[in-house]
C-alpha cells in the first residue's frame, strides 16, 4: 500500500506540472476533506452507519468542451457498528484504506460552477477493526451467528464506481459522491461454515481547496 501511495503522488505531481503549463485556470491541484457515511450491503450481518472521514489530493483539468477530468488519491477511515448478540451492545468498527480515482466531470451549461461527475476507482483497504478489544471474541447479530474475528476478514482490493456532483468557484468546490464497490469484500464464514457476502458502499460530502 505504501508503494501505491508513492506512485500515485508522483503521478499526480506529474499531471499537475503539466497542467500548470496551460493558460486555463481550471487546471489545478487541490486538497480536500470529506465526511463519509458507510454502508455494507449484506444479508449476513446487521450494520449501522457511523460518520467517518476521507482526505486526499487531486488534480482537476480541462479535457474536452463541457468536460473536466479529475485524478485523485484519498485516504479513508470509514466507521460503522454491529450489535453484540448476547448483550446487544453496539460494537464500534472501522475500515481504513485508500482510493485512487479517475472522474469525468460534465460541466452543466459549460460553466465551471456545477458539474456531474462519474468514473472508476481502485480501492485498497485493511481488515475491519474493532474499536474496543473487549469485543474481539464476541458473536454479532445477523441471519446466523457470526464471530467478530471471522467478520473482520476482508478482501484487500476492490473496484469502485463513483457518481456525484461538485460545485463552486475557482479556489473552492463542494462535493457529494456515492462510491460503490463491485466486488465482494467479506472473506469470513458464519457459525454454519457458510461464506459471508457483502459489498461496501459509502457517501462522501466535503470540500476541495485548489491552489
Amino acid at each position: 500500500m505504501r508503494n501505491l501511495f508513492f506512485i500515485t503522488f508522483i503521478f499526480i505531481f506529474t499531471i499537475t506540472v503539466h497542467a500548470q503549463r496551460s493558460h486555463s485556470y481550471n487546471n489545478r491541484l487541490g486538497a480536500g476533506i470529506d465526511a463519509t457515511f458507510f454502508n455494507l450491503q449484506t444479508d449476513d450481518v446487521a450494520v449501522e452507519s457511523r460518520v467517518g472521514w476521507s482526505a486526499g489530493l487531486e488534480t482537476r483539468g480541462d479535457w474536452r468542451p463541457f468536460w473536466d477530468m479529475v485524478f485523485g488519491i484519498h485516504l479513508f477511515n470509514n466507521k460503522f457498528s454491529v450489535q453484540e448478540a448476547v448483550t446487544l451492545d453496539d460494537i464500534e468498527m472501522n475500515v481504513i484504506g485508500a482510493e485512487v480515482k479517475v472522474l469525468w466531470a460534465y460541466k452543466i451549461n459549460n460553466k465551471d460552477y456545477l458539474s456531474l461527475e462519474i468514473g472508476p476507482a481502485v480501492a485498497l483497504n485493511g481488515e475491519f477493526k474493532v474499536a474496543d478489544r473487549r469485543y474481539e471474541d464476541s458473536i454479532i447479530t445477523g441471519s446466523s451467528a457470526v464471530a467478530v474475528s471471522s467478520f473482520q476478514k476482508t478482501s484487500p482490493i476492490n473496484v469502485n464506481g463513483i457518481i456525484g456532483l461538485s460545485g463552486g468557484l475557482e479556489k473552492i468546490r463542494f462535493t457529494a459522491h456515492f462510491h460503490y464497490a463491485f466486488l465482494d469484500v467479506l472473506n469470513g464464514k458464519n457459525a454454519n461454515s457458510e461464506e459471508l457476502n457483502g459489498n461496501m458502499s459509502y457517501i462522501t460530502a466535503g470540500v476541495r481547496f485548489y491552489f
Side-chain angles (χ1 to χ4, degrees):
M1 187 174 289
R2 290 180 180 177
N3 290 337
L4 174 67
F5 294 164
F6 176 76
I7 293 171
T8 306
F9 276 117
I10 294 297
F11 178 61
I12 292 176
F13 176 78
T14 302
I15 293 173
T16 304
V17 171
H18 174 74
Q20 287 176 343
R21 296 174 182 173
S22 171
H23 294 295
S24 171
Y25 81 85
N26 200 34
N27 292 280
R28 56 207 189 272
L29 174 68
I33 187 166
D34 301 302
T36 67
F37 306 89
F38 178 83
N39 186 36
L40 182 65
Q41 298 181 353
T42 177
D43 295 326
D44 297 313
V45 175
V47 173
E48 185 173 345
S49 178
R50 294 286 189 267
V51 180
W53 59 267
S54 172
L57 294 175
E58 64 183 40
T59 63
R60 186 181 191 94
D62 292 325
W63 182 53
R64 294 285 190 274
F66 284 90
W67 291 90
D68 283 348
M69 183 173 282
V70 180
F71 299 86
I73 179 171
H74 284 253
L75 307 181
F76 60 81
N77 183 3
N78 289 330
K79 299 183 179 182
F80 60 98
S81 67
V82 293
Q83 192 173 65
E84 214 277 338
V86 177
T87 64
L88 301 183
D89 290 343
D90 287 335
I91 302 175
E92 303 288 340
M93 304 188 73
N94 73 308
V95 57
I96 295 174
E99 183 182 62
V100 181
K101 66 182 181 181
V102 179
L103 300 180
W104 291 273
Y106 176 75
K107 295 183 285 188
I108 298 173
N109 292 328
N110 202 24
K111 301 294 185 181
D112 197 48
Y113 305 122
L114 182 64
S115 62
L116 173 65
E117 301 174 351
I118 188 170
V122 175
L124 285 81
N125 58 265
E127 292 189 341
F128 295 158
K129 298 296 184 182
V130 180
D132 190 336
R133 298 184 64 181
R134 294 179 301 169
Y135 295 109
E136 288 183 343
D137 297 322
S138 295
I139 302 297
I140 54 181
T141 58
S143 59
S144 62
V146 178
V148 168
S149 58
S150 184
F151 176 65
Q152 288 180 279
K153 299 176 182 178
T154 62
S155 300
I157 300 176
N158 220 307
V159 178
N160 293 357
I162 304 173
I163 187 169
L165 295 168
S166 77
L169 303 174
E170 177 183 352
K171 297 296 185 181
I172 185 171
R173 292 184 75 85
F174 297 95
T175 66
H177 293 94
F178 175 73
H179 307 240
Y180 181 80
F182 293 108
L183 305 180
D184 181 12
V185 70
L186 299 179
N187 275 344
K189 296 182 179 181
N190 62 21
N192 299 323
S193 297
E194 298 169 332
E195 297 283 346
L196 301 178
N197 296 287
N199 295 78
M200 293 192 299
S201 65
Y202 59 99
I203 294 170
T204 57
V207 63
R208 304 288 181 268
F209 300 97
Y210 290 100
F211 312 115

